[in-house]
Every structure is written in structure tokens, then in C-alpha cells.
Amino acid sequence: MKFVTPDEAVKAVKSHNHIHISSAAQLPYCLLEALQRRADVGDIADIHFHHSYSDGPPPFDAEKYENVFFDQAFFIGPSVRRSVNLGLADYIPINLSQTQEVYRNGCVPCDVAMVLVSEPDERGYVSLGGDVVCSVGAIEIAKTVIGVVNKNVPFTYGDSIVPIDRFTYFVRHDRDLLAMNTAEPTPVEIKIGKICASLIDDGACLQIGVGGLTNALAAQLEDHKNLGFHSETFADGVLHLIKKGIINGSNKVIDKGKVVASFILGSREVFDFVDHNPGVMMMDVGYTNDPYTISRNPKVASVNAATQIDITGQVCADSIGSRILSGTGGQLEFVRGAFLSEGGISVIALTSRTKNGISKIVPVLDVASGVVTPRADVQWVVTEYGAVNLLGKSLQERARLLTSIAHPDDRYMLERAAYERFGRHYLTFG
């Protein structure tokens, strides 16, 4: 292994390069800081960064370096959200499973890959730890690959294992990984969690994300048996279910007995749990999020969130109007995979109102909103007021069903909007 300093490693970066950086809890800050030092002396320009979800401190000061660095992320996390909505960074709308392929087929260039990795093992391999998502494809095609060896990166198995001879340079930097604390669910989220849990059978294979609503759902699954887990994200919400044996993968057809994910957003406890754990497989997102792969397990239960849903079932989950919040992610892929799974269900779960008292069930989506899941794909929708199944329902039937689980104070507004849209027949039919 050839170790160099961060400043020596980033000499490989040229102006106009496209750089992949590992994300989630594993941003390579030491390399980004070294690039900023080069920028400060006018040594580089027009650098494009690509990555998935990122939290914590921003990778760089977007305003200071707006003529030097430009972030173009596949998924917008908190660390770059402000920059994107100021026009100082950008968002690439894409289904998460496609992020590997756009590197491999050249749609998104990748000159340099910068990734955090574990300590090497005795066979000459390092692990990508908790961020496999789009790093595998980037490492395959990048001309220069720089690995930041960090003792805090867990050694995980699956597609995360990379031979050390694939790297051009190694840098050592033992910065703590960004830990995401468990979000405490609100009383409303607990109600939603209970309703979602009632839709999930014993033996189901779960796909759930992160946040208070997810933790609320996980807490309501403690009486379930023999659950599986196949998801893009592994977080604290499901860890206690694994430790209690509730999630054991015994009913899975593929990857039986294994926890399968593509990236980790969690506490130090999650990173410690996956370290050298053969029961956890960190896989290329092209595998975890492929609808066919998802569907091979029976009783897939996919639970995802939304920012808005209109009365016909169109789901917005990446924005509020034109303001980008997150990304397409894998929502549609798991919705479709669950539909194809024997006995599978997909759930869109959301509170009936925002914190400011605005209805999330609306006559039409806000102008410039992105439709992440088309109405033709939506199955169950859950709020704290109940669950409705839109599959096979007409537009007017959907309007009635969604109005029934809206906040009571918003139902008249929705009924009136439906009447104006569909005509007097709406009030007399059904």
C-alpha cells in the first residue's frame, strides 16, 4: 500500500475533472480540504463532484468556491440542500439503482474516485464499510482511485470488498464517522407506525428508511415473527429487531438469513454491529434496488415517506414545489419490486399535515413538484387517520379514499376540489 499525504494525493486532480466522493457517514473531508488549498492558490478550476446522500458539514463552502467546485449529487442530503436551492449546486434526478450504471456507461464522467475505506485485511483487501451505493461503479471506471484508510470504517462484506491494488493512492485519516442519532417518533408518527405495522405479515421482507416515522414503525413490529430485511438503507430503527431475532431472514428466498443494504445511516452502534459481521451484506445499489431482485423474496413490505400526495395518488417525495429536499432515491424501485413480490405490499406513509398545519393531501401537487411515484404505481397510503388501498381504483374513488384519511379540517376543501374537478357525478356515484 502506497501512503501519501492528502495534498500529495489530490495532485492527481486536474481542472475540469469529475470526482466521485463517498457519502452517507463517509465523506473524505481530508481530501476535500486539500483540494480547497489548491483552489485557494488558483491551481484548479471547474471541478464537478458527484455523490449520494450527505449529512454533516458541507463538503466545501459553495459560495466561496462557486467558480471552482460544483456539486452535482444523485440525492440531496442536508449538507448540500442549501447550496442546491441557491443554484450553487445541482441535483441529478435518478433512480438510485441507476447511479452505478451511469458511471459505467459514461453518462456521468468519473475521472477520480475518493472513498473512505477500512483497514486492510490479511488478504490484501479493504472494505467500503457503510457506503457502497455508487462507489463500486466509480472505483471500476475512475482513472485515479484514492482511498482514505480510516480505523473507524467497519469492515463489511458483500460488494464492499475491494483489492488494494485497485487504488492509486492511500491516505490515512482517522476522523470519526458521522453518526446519526435515533430520531424520537412523535405521537402522530407512532399512530402511523401502528397502522403500517398492521398491514405487515409475519415472514415479510422489510424495506424501510430512516427517521422518526421509520423508528415508530420498527417499534410496532416487536410482536412480528421471522421478518427479513432487504433495503437500500440500514439504520438504528431496525437494529433492535435484528438483535431480538425478529428480523432473522428465515423466510427469504434469496440472501436467506442475511441483512442486505447498500449504505448505513446510523449511530456508532450500527457501525460496530456490521463490522466483520457475515450476517450483513453491503451490496451494489444496482442489486439492492433492482425491482426484479427485490421481487424474488416473498411478502416484500416497502414503506416510504412523501412530502405531498394529490387526490389522484401522485406522490411527491423529493421536493416541496421547486425547493429540492432529497431525491428520487429507491422509492419507485421498491414500490415496483413489492408489487411483483408474491404477497408483497407497498406503503406511502405521511402525516396528514405539515408542522405548520398545511395539508399534505392536496387537490393538485404544488407547482414544480417532482412526481417520484406515479399514481399508477401507488398501493397503500397511510396517515394517522387510517390506511387506504388505491390499487385498481379510479380517479374519483381515489379522491374519496384519500379524503377519508386527510385531517378532518381539510376534508371539506378536498371534497370541494374533487367536485370541481370531476363534476356533480362525483357526489352521486359510489
Side-chain angles (χ1 to χ4, degrees):
M1 295 176 70
K2 182 180 180 181
F3 280 90
V4 298
T5 67
D7 293 284
E8 290 171 324
V10 301
K11 287 179 181 178
V13 176
K14 311 298 182 187
S15 292
H16 315 299
N17 274 181
H18 287 251
I19 302 176
H20 166 79
I21 56 176
S22 55
S23 49
Q26 297 182 197
L27 262 69
Y29 283 107
C30 67
L31 299 179
L32 297 171
E33 290 161 358
L35 282 174
Q36 290 172 59
R37 288 191 286 272
R38 286 190 63 188
D40 289 340
V41 297
D43 194 28
I44 50 172
D46 189 33
I47 301 298
H48 296 250
F49 292 108
H50 306 292
H51 57 89
S52 185
Y53 178 96
S54 62
D55 205 341
F60 54 89
D61 185 332
E63 292 177 82
K64 179 179 178 181
Y65 295 105
E66 67 173 303
N67 296 318
V68 183
F69 301 138
F70 195 59
D71 198 303
Q72 296 173 297
F74 300 122
F75 192 97
I76 304 306
S79 70
V80 295
R81 190 172 293 147
R82 178 177 179 274
S83 298
V84 169
N85 289 298
L86 286 174
L88 299 171
D90 207 357
Y91 162 48
I92 300 176
I94 191 168
N95 291 310
L96 204 58
S97 71
Q98 297 168 321
T99 56
Q100 301 279 13
E101 193 54 37
V102 292
Y103 279 146
R104 291 176 176 132
N105 65 21
C107 288
V108 176
C110 185
D111 302 293
V112 180
M114 300 177 170
V115 296
L116 256 65
V117 297
S118 71
E119 298 277 4
D121 68 4
E122 66 282 355
R123 300 176 302 140
Y125 290 86
V126 293
S127 173
L128 297 172
D131 178 49
V132 177
V133 190
C134 42
S135 291
V136 174
I139 289 171
E140 286 176 9
I141 61 98
K143 302 175 186 70
T144 302
V145 182
I146 305 172
V148 179
V149 177
N150 185 323
K151 67 180 182 182
N152 298 304
V153 173
F155 195 102
T156 57
Y157 300 109
D159 291 332
S160 58
I161 297 176
V162 184
I164 60 174
D165 61 9
R166 183 63 192 90
F167 292 81
T168 314
Y169 303 107
F170 283 104
V171 170
R172 180 171 289 283
H173 190 254
D174 289 330
R175 178 179 178 139
D176 288 341
L177 301 184
L178 180 69
M180 177 176 283
N181 295 323
T182 302
E184 286 298 321
T186 66
V188 169
E189 288 172 333
I190 292 172
K191 289 180 70 174
I192 294 172
K194 289 180 179 178
I195 296 169
C196 290
S198 70
L199 300 174
I200 297 172
D201 292 337
D202 288 342
C205 184
L206 301 177
Q207 177 262 320
I208 53 180
V210 296
L213 204 156
T214 297
N215 293 330
L217 168 59
Q220 304 305 318
L221 293 171
E222 294 195 356
D223 292 331
H224 282 62
K225 298 180 178 65
N226 301 324
L227 299 178
F229 190 76
H230 179 112
S231 183
E232 61 198 19
T233 315
F234 183 14
D236 287 75
V238 297
L239 183 58
H240 78 282
L241 296 177
I242 297 170
K243 289 186 172 182
K244 288 188 172 185
I246 297 165
I247 292 178
N248 56 36
S250 61
N251 198 46
K252 294 175 75 174
V253 170
I254 61 168
D255 307 320
K256 198 174 187 70
K258 305 284 187 179
V259 169
V260 176
S262 194
F263 68 101
I264 294 170
L265 287 174
S267 67
R268 185 69 240 180
E269 185 180 5
V270 177
F271 292 114
D272 291 341
F273 177 79
V274 302
D275 186 38
H276 289 93
N277 186 342
V280 178
M281 293 173 59
M282 299 299 297
M283 301 298 290
D284 180 323
V285 75
Y287 177 83
T288 61
N289 287 41
D290 174 41
Y292 171 71
T293 301
I294 294 164
S295 71
R296 291 174 65 193
N297 281 313
K299 293 186 177 181
V300 170
S302 167
V303 183
N304 288 285
T307 55
Q308 257 189 355
I309 183 169
D310 76 7
I311 56 174
T312 71
Q314 294 188 110
V315 173
C316 176
D318 65 350
S319 67
I320 296 177
S322 61
R323 185 161 68 92
I324 300 298
L325 294 179
S326 54
T328 302
Q331 182 174 122
L332 180 58
E333 296 164 329
F334 277 95
V335 165
R336 289 180 170 170
F339 177 78
L340 295 171
S341 164
E342 182 181 354
I345 63 166
S346 69
V347 179
I348 300 297
L350 69 167
T351 57
S352 65
R353 281 181 160 184
T354 69
K355 293 178 181 178
N356 296 324
I358 300 170
S359 182
K360 291 186 180 181
I361 300 175
V362 293
V364 294
L365 298 179
D366 289 351
V367 173
S369 294
V371 176
V372 169
T373 300
R375 56 193 171 205
D377 288 287
V378 176
Q379 188 179 9
W380 286 95
V381 180
V382 172
T383 73
E384 68 271 27
Y385 293 103
V388 294
N389 189 346
L390 304 188
L391 192 62
K393 300 298 190 292
S394 70
L395 297 181
Q396 294 187 33
E397 290 170 326
R398 287 161 177 256
R400 286 192 188 85
L401 289 168
L402 289 167
T403 297
S404 74
I405 59 169
H407 190 284
D409 293 345
D410 297 321
R411 292 176 189 172
Y412 175 75
M413 173 271 293
L414 295 170
E415 287 283 4
R416 184 177 180 85
Y419 174 74
E420 291 174 352
R421 179 168 182 170
F422 300 119
R424 62 184 178 84
H425 192 57
Y426 175 73
L427 295 179
T428 58
F429 182 74

